[in-house]
């Protein structure tokens, strides 16, 4: 079913604005040129044809897809990964551009969803299968997959009530797009039912659970954290990480933590903003609060008098979690909200706090909330109070972690189920 005329017309009108935004965010002319070619053509030569194509939007989806992608690379399959964001692409390259996989792996940006561009992309790369991670659905991408007889499957699918309402506003477009999918593997029944209500054929859906529960922390980061604890003398430090934060979360939380940071020289706060374009803005905010701040990007370390460590790097989140005793997972107290993945800190046994706006991860977080495996803060003041309480009470952190690990164990196995399903298409 071809995509409607109005959708393609809208894309043509939006394209110059989209290009301008990419240019605006760019920091290096060479990287910008490469990005524009990957998004708008002419596309570069593929490293391999007949690849398993995984489309993962950003860092969270890339991390979730990691064990699946790794499984197929180890089996000798060629893999193409497309991303929508810079951070996602940097993460994919950091994970898979290793000597053992280099000849099999390629990462490029997803082309803009214009019919001619998408058709050119399929023609050039000739993928064997297209696996979309979570909820990244593009009408022309799915429609042209059928044209090229490429099976199109949504892995680890999730759909919040809010997102479902958005898709419902363009019913005709959504229904046609969903009917073009070969399979949808949902994280939970609520997601499955929302997709069916939007027009996804019920017989093409299955509930397999979330592959995110099968997560394991990379040994390289655990070893690096142990090394830094000795090198930076962190053995007696009390470390809170504010992870994947959005404006105004950093400044609001640091305001709450400031009295404790001033009073206790053992306490240090690692701040990891979600978007790299905000690194300088967050550093300026730390300075305006008169907090002694060091920066990862300058090769600085946590000194004995460091109060805030700005982790303005990419692809190192596991490292900061591995150094922490407690963390706040961002995007959950800011106005727009939605939340980010809480399973990474939990996998490392880090006591985890988040705000009430976690609708992007509703079913996952609710499971932990039900057994007191995470703590949910109502506002910034409450979040600060909880974090400081956790730092002072190791037994409270231990209980939180114990409860959380039971949920993790109960939900594991989705990874094997996803691979089994994907194998039927190969």
């Amino acid at each position: 079913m071809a995509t409607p005329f109005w959708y393609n017309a809208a894309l043509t009108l939006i394209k110059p604005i989209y290009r301008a935004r990419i240019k605006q965010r760019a920091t290096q002319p060479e990287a910008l040129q490469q990005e524009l070619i990957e998004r708008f053509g002419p596309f570069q030569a593929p490293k391999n044809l007949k690849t398993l194509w995984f489309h993962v939007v950003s860092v969270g989806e890339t991390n979730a897809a990691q064990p699946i992608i790794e499984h197929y690379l180890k089996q000798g399959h060629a893999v193409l990964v497309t991303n929508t964001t810079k951070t996602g692409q940097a993460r994919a390259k950091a994970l898979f551009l290793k000597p053992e996989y280099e000849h099999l792996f390629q990462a490029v940006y997803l082309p803009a969803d214009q019919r001619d561009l998408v058709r050119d992309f399929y023609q050039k790369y000739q993928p064997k299968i297209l696996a979309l991670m979570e909820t990244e659905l593009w009408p022309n991408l799915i429609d042209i997959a059928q044209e090229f007889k490429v099976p199109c499957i949504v892995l680890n699918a999730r759909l919040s009530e809010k997102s479902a309402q958005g898709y419902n506003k363009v019913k005709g477009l959504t229904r046609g797009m969903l009917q073009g999918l070969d399979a949808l593997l949902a994280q939970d029944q609520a997601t499955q039912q929302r997709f069916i209500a939007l027009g996804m054929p019920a017989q093409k859906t299955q509930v397999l659970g979330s592959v995110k529960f099968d997560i394991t922390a990379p040994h390289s980061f655990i070893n690096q954290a142990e090394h830094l604890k000795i090198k930076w003398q962190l053995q007696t430090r009390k470390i809170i990480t504010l992870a994947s934060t959005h404006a105004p979360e950093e400044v609001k939380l640091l305001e709450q933590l400031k009295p404790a940071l001033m009073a206790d020289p053992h306490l240090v706060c690692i701040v990891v903003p979600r978007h790299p374009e905000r690194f300088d803005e967050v550093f300026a905010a730390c300075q305006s609060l008169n907090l002694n701040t060091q920066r990862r990007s300058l090769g600085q370390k946590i000194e004995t008098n460091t109060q805030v460590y700005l982790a303005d790097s990419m692809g190192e989140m596991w490292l900061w979690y591995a150094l922490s005793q407690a963390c706040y997972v961002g995007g959950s107290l800011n106005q727009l909200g939605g939340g980010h993945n809480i399973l990474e800190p939990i996998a490392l046994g880090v006591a985890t706090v988040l705000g009430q706006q976690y609708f992007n991860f509703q079913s996952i977080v609710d499971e932990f909330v039900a057994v007191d495996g995470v703590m949910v803060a109502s506002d910034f003041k409450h979040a600060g109070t909880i974090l400081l309480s956790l730092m002072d009470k190791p037994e409270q952190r231990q209980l939180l972690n114990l409860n959380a690990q039971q949920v993790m164990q109960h939900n594991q196995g989705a990874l094997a189920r996803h691979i089994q399903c994907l194998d039927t298409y190969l």
Side-chain angles (χ1 to χ4, degrees):
M1 178 183 162
T3 47
F5 170 78
W6 66 262
Y7 173 75
N8 293 303
L11 285 181
T12 306
L13 293 172
I14 291 163
K15 188 177 177 178
I17 301 163
Y18 183 36
R19 282 185 81 112
R21 280 195 65 185
I22 291 167
K23 286 179 180 177
Q24 201 178 357
R25 289 199 312 262
T27 50
Q28 298 166 314
E30 285 171 23
L32 169 64
Q33 200 51 42
Q34 183 64 27
E35 183 175 348
L36 290 173
I37 287 168
E38 289 179 13
R39 291 192 194 271
F40 304 107
F43 302 120
Q44 60 190 327
K47 198 180 272 188
N48 297 287
L49 297 177
K50 304 295 178 192
T51 58
L52 310 189
W53 175 11
F54 291 88
H55 177 58
V56 289
V57 189
S58 193
V59 177
E61 294 83 0
T62 307
N63 287 338
Q66 178 189 352
I68 302 176
I69 294 171
E70 205 137 41
H71 168 81
Y72 287 110
L73 285 170
K74 280 177 181 170
Q75 286 198 336
H77 289 277
V79 168
L80 172 70
V81 165
T82 51
N83 302 91
T84 313
T85 69
K86 268 185 194 176
T87 49
Q89 188 169 103
R91 182 69 184 135
K93 287 177 176 176
L95 285 171
F96 306 117
L97 268 185
K98 298 172 177 175
E100 64 266 39
Y101 303 140
E102 207 166 350
H103 65 295
L104 293 170
F105 175 78
Q106 186 173 10
V108 295
Y109 286 105
L110 182 75
D113 198 45
Q114 290 187 290
R115 290 192 73 81
D116 291 349
L117 282 176
V118 174
R119 192 176 279 114
D120 285 353
F121 193 86
Y122 276 99
Q123 191 83 56
K124 186 153 251 184
Y125 284 85
Q126 296 175 32
K128 199 186 287 186
I129 188 170
L130 170 58
L132 304 168
M133 203 68 188
E134 299 198 354
T135 327
E136 183 70 352
L137 306 175
W138 290 98
N140 285 323
L141 188 70
I142 294 167
D143 186 39
I144 291 166
Q146 296 172 75
E147 203 177 294
F148 282 85
K149 296 184 170 52
V150 174
C152 189
I153 299 149
V154 185
L155 309 182
N156 212 44
R158 68 179 168 95
L159 189 67
S160 67
E161 206 171 322
K162 188 180 175 183
S163 296
Q165 286 165 4
Y167 279 116
N168 202 38
K169 286 174 185 169
V170 281
K171 259 185 185 165
L173 182 68
T174 300
R175 180 177 287 274
M177 181 170 64
L178 294 177
Q179 288 177 348
L181 294 170
D182 289 86
L184 185 137
L185 313 180
Q187 292 186 20
D188 51 66
Q189 283 183 321
T191 285
Q192 183 190 38
Q193 290 311 312
R194 284 176 194 134
F195 273 116
I196 291 168
L198 288 168
M200 180 74 201
Q203 70 276 14
K204 290 185 179 181
T205 70
Q206 294 179 62
V207 178
L208 298 188
S210 173
V211 297
K212 289 185 174 179
F213 284 104
D214 290 274
I215 197 167
T216 49
H219 290 299
S220 58
F221 285 119
I222 296 170
N223 295 339
Q224 196 182 350
E226 290 307 313
H227 174 68
L228 287 186
K229 280 177 190 174
I230 297 161
K231 191 179 175 185
W232 292 0
Q233 300 178 338
L234 303 177
Q235 295 94 327
T236 58
R237 298 299 290 270
K238 296 191 279 188
I239 302 175
I240 295 171
T241 289
L242 308 181
S244 294
T245 50
H246 297 244
E249 291 178 312
E250 303 92 359
V251 70
K252 295 283 189 188
L253 285 165
L254 288 172
E255 280 171 355
Q256 298 303 321
L257 298 172
K258 185 178 173 176
L261 287 164
M262 300 300 263
D264 186 350
H266 288 103
L267 187 63
V268 63
C269 191
I270 298 174
V271 180
V272 195
R274 179 72 177 179
H275 298 113
E277 59 268 25
R278 296 191 56 248
F279 288 160
D280 290 339
E281 170 199 324
V282 175
F283 180 65
C286 297
Q287 286 188 307
S288 72
L289 288 168
N290 293 317
L291 290 165
N292 188 8
T293 305
Q294 266 70 44
R295 298 184 72 161
R296 177 66 165 172
S297 61
L298 300 179
Q300 295 169 338
K301 62 176 189 171
I302 297 177
E303 307 279 359
T304 49
N305 62 347
T306 300
Q307 293 165 314
V308 175
Y309 189 71
L310 179 58
D312 50 354
S313 60
M314 284 157 73
E316 292 192 301
M317 188 67 88
W318 281 110
L319 176 62
W320 312 125
Y321 282 141
L323 290 175
S324 316
Q325 289 98 38
C327 73
Y328 164 78
V329 177
S332 55
L333 275 173
N334 60 322
Q335 199 178 355
L336 295 172
H340 291 295
N341 185 11
I342 62 168
L343 299 175
E344 289 176 10
I346 289 170
L348 280 164
V350 182
T352 301
V353 180
L354 70 161
Q356 291 177 324
Q357 299 292 324
Y358 57 79
F359 51 82
N360 284 341
F361 294 86
Q362 191 82 38
S363 60
I364 287 177
V365 176
D366 284 349
E367 280 202 63
F368 288 94
V369 171
V371 298
D372 296 324
V374 295
M375 298 188 82
V376 179
S378 53
D379 54 32
F380 291 107
K381 186 178 180 182
H382 189 206
T385 305
I386 295 172
L387 286 165
L388 293 172
S389 168
L390 286 167
M391 296 315 285
D392 292 332
K393 295 175 183 170
E395 68 287 349
Q396 191 183 5
R397 296 200 305 266
Q398 203 175 351
L399 183 61
L400 207 61
N401 184 39
L402 197 69
N403 295 339
Q405 294 312 317
Q406 288 172 355
V407 177
M408 291 291 274
Q409 284 158 20
H410 173 70
N411 282 284
Q412 280 165 353
L415 174 61
R417 292 191 288 272
H418 273 74
I419 288 168
Q420 195 178 0
C421 184
L422 269 175
D423 283 347
T424 63
Y425 289 90
L426 300 180

